[in-house]
Amino acid sequence: MRTPKEINALIRLLDDPDEDIFGHIKNELKSFGADVIPELESHWEKNRLGILFQSRVENLIHEIQYGSLEENLLFWWESDKPDLLEGVTLVSNYKYPELTTDEINQRISIYTQEIWLEINDYLTALEKIKLINHFIFDVHGFTGNVAGFHDHQNSFLKDVLESKKGNPLSLSILYILIGRQLDLPIYGVNLPRHFVVAYLDPYQLTTPIEDSPVLFYINPFSNGDVFGPEELSQFLEKIDVPEKEEYFKPCDSKVMLTRLLNNLIYSYNKKGELQKSQEIKRLLLLLNKR
């Protein structure tokens, strides 16, 4: 391991015009991983070494952070029980590298604490959902982002929590995470073109969860409207999609994360940010190979 003095000397050489020398220095610094990022940021802020230096430092930091994201996401994917909160936080790390699951959990706890004070075991499943809907949509003003349906912000939970707007998938993820903190059996349903959630029968939960009976469905994009399998069938007929058993069953965290990444790819393509789109595609391809 090089000393801090040696690392600083390498950083100062990042503006060397010789591409071969720059390539060697970059690879040397990348080998230190995320530990070198504070030094890179410090040099970028304190030293006015020109546009080339700043550009190279920015790109190097991004490459290091992206490499860490690949490793962490792959580790998550290959774990026995991939945790949804951890997975969506990792996706958010693409835009917010320092974001942690604790930060997201604490933000969500603000809402669940209020609900928890009102909820009790004597309420029916529908009454519990009405209570959640009241606090999330009426009191705190979360709503479907109709005007910006395809915006990339909808795929980053941090942005959704700040703007209080999201698409069907991101609002469903928020709903599921709220349900988890309240110990309610709420799971995602990978419905084509419009993600929703299901409230499962708490007395008949199975492993895998996909085989658990559904009591009813909830549409977080429409202020938590509750509906049954008949309405779900009508929706599929309306969009001319043949029914499949999986469209009526809860899905796992990997399915939700895959859809989240696909949404991001579409959003960045639509916005013309092709480099970002390609980077998300690389993440998705990495996972699909496993």
Side-chain angles (χ1 to χ4, degrees):
M1 179 70 179
R2 289 180 178 268
T3 65
K5 186 176 181 179
E6 290 173 322
I7 291 174
N8 287 329
L10 284 172
I11 293 173
R12 285 193 291 271
L13 291 173
L14 279 173
D15 63 345
D16 194 297
D18 188 307
E19 288 295 331
D20 290 335
I21 294 175
F22 165 67
H24 175 75
I25 294 168
K26 183 178 78 168
N27 289 334
E28 182 80 9
L29 289 169
K30 282 178 68 175
S31 69
F32 300 129
D35 292 340
V36 79
I37 289 178
E39 289 297 332
L40 288 168
E41 290 175 334
S42 177
H43 276 268
W44 190 93
E45 293 170 358
K46 295 178 181 177
N47 301 315
R48 299 182 179 276
L49 296 178
I51 295 175
L52 179 63
F53 176 82
Q54 291 190 335
S55 175
R56 284 179 171 176
V57 168
E58 288 175 356
N59 290 336
L60 179 55
I61 290 174
H62 178 69
E63 286 183 32
I64 292 171
Q65 289 172 335
Y66 183 82
S68 295
L69 176 56
E70 283 185 317
E71 292 179 9
N72 293 335
L73 199 54
L74 189 58
F75 182 81
W76 177 87
W77 188 268
E78 294 181 333
S79 61
D80 291 336
K81 293 182 179 179
D83 178 73
L84 178 60
L85 175 60
E86 184 180 354
V88 297
T89 303
L90 285 171
V91 173
S92 290
N93 285 155
Y94 179 74
K95 184 177 179 182
Y96 302 105
E98 305 301 322
L99 185 68
T100 66
T101 55
D102 284 344
E103 291 176 62
I104 295 293
N105 223 17
Q106 288 171 11
R107 291 288 297 273
I108 294 173
S109 294
I110 295 172
Y111 309 119
T112 54
Q113 181 65 23
E114 294 175 335
I115 300 167
W116 180 81
L117 291 172
E118 299 290 334
I119 207 165
N120 63 71
D121 292 336
Y122 296 104
L123 297 177
T124 66
L126 278 173
E127 288 171 335
K128 290 175 182 177
I129 291 306
K130 287 180 181 179
L131 188 61
I132 291 174
N133 290 344
H134 170 67
F135 278 100
I136 298 306
F137 303 115
D138 298 334
V139 176
H140 290 288
F142 279 88
T143 187
N145 191 0
V146 178
F149 192 86
H150 296 296
D151 287 352
H152 67 271
Q153 288 92 339
N154 293 323
S155 295
F156 299 119
L157 193 53
K158 174 181 169 65
D159 288 340
V160 173
L161 288 168
E162 290 180 354
S163 68
K164 296 189 176 180
K165 293 181 180 180
N167 61 17
L169 178 58
S170 59
L171 290 176
S172 291
I173 288 172
L174 175 61
Y175 210 97
I176 293 165
L177 294 175
I178 288 171
R180 175 188 293 180
Q181 288 197 7
L182 294 169
D183 199 26
L184 298 177
I186 299 172
Y187 291 83
V189 177
N190 196 28
L191 188 65
R193 303 190 197 175
H194 197 99
F195 202 91
V196 296
V197 300
Y199 195 105
L200 308 186
D201 186 336
Y203 302 106
Q204 298 188 61
L205 297 179
T206 63
T207 302
I209 200 68
E210 292 87 346
D211 296 329
S212 299
V214 174
L215 291 183
F216 51 81
Y217 299 94
I218 308 160
N219 183 5
F221 191 73
S222 183
N223 292 345
D225 282 349
V226 174
F227 60 99
E230 298 81 9
E231 289 89 345
L232 200 156
S233 294
Q234 290 169 9
F235 172 77
L236 291 171
E237 183 179 357
K238 184 178 180 181
I239 63 174
D240 198 26
V241 173
E243 287 189 13
K244 289 184 181 180
E245 192 175 6
E246 64 190 75
Y247 298 156
F248 294 79
K249 290 188 170 187
C251 63
D252 63 21
S253 299
K254 287 185 177 181
V255 171
M256 285 185 272
L257 198 81
T258 298
R259 187 156 176 168
L260 196 61
L261 292 174
N262 274 315
N263 283 354
L264 261 181
I265 292 167
Y266 181 85
S267 297
Y268 281 133
N269 274 333
K270 190 175 178 66
K271 198 176 178 181
E273 298 189 45
L274 301 185
Q275 180 181 344
K276 292 180 179 179
S277 173
Q278 287 299 319
E279 287 182 333
I280 302 300
K281 279 183 183 178
R282 276 174 53 193
L283 293 175
L284 194 54
L285 286 171
L286 177 69
L287 301 181
N288 287 339
K289 288 179 181 178
R290 301 292 166 166

